[in-house]
Amino acid sequence: MSRVRRCSRTGCTNPAVATLTYAYADSTAVVGPLATGVEPHSYDLCSDHALGLTAPKGWEVVRPDADLMDIGPGVDDLEALADAVREAGRGERSPEPPPVVTGRRGHLRVLTFPDN
């Protein structure tokens, strides 16, 4: 189960919906869609902080055209979760056979797995 990423702003507990990155060479702050993973040198922001972000004098803020509304999981996400739960509940899977130990040298072992 994945954890909901929270806004990076101190004291804010809202869920993150956007990621802030900087292009220092261009003096630009970019507020884009939430990154798929946590990225170094970027900040996750909630919709309030993403829309209210201001940049230093001389810098430009670039935001996407899409709304940064706090939306929950989509239909595809819920269907994928339901499919995963159904698959896990099925008892049709046979247990995998244990690996065959073919030799031993000290603390190392050579393991072979049967072909499926």
Side-chain angles (χ1 to χ4, degrees), residues 11 13 25 32 35 52 76 78 85 97 115:
T13 59
D76 292 338
L78 294 175
V85 169
D115 293 329

Side-chain angles (χ1 to χ4, degrees), residues 38-105:
V38 178
E39 300 286 333
H41 310 294
S42 66
Y43 304 91
D44 294 338
L45 299 175
C46 65
S47 59
D48 292 338
H49 288 120
L51 294 173
L53 179 80
T54 58
K57 186 175 182 179
W59 280 59
E60 181 182 2
V61 177
V62 177
R63 288 186 178 87
D65 293 334
D67 284 337
L68 296 175
M69 299 304 295
D70 182 17
I71 56 174
V75 173
D76 292 338
D77 296 334
L78 294 175
E79 285 179 7
L81 179 61
D83 290 342
V85 169
R86 273 190 226 108
E87 181 67 27
R90 290 184 185 164
E92 300 171 9
R93 288 186 271 163
S94 62
E96 293 186 23
V100 178
V101 177
T102 60
R104 183 177 174 133
R105 291 185 60 185

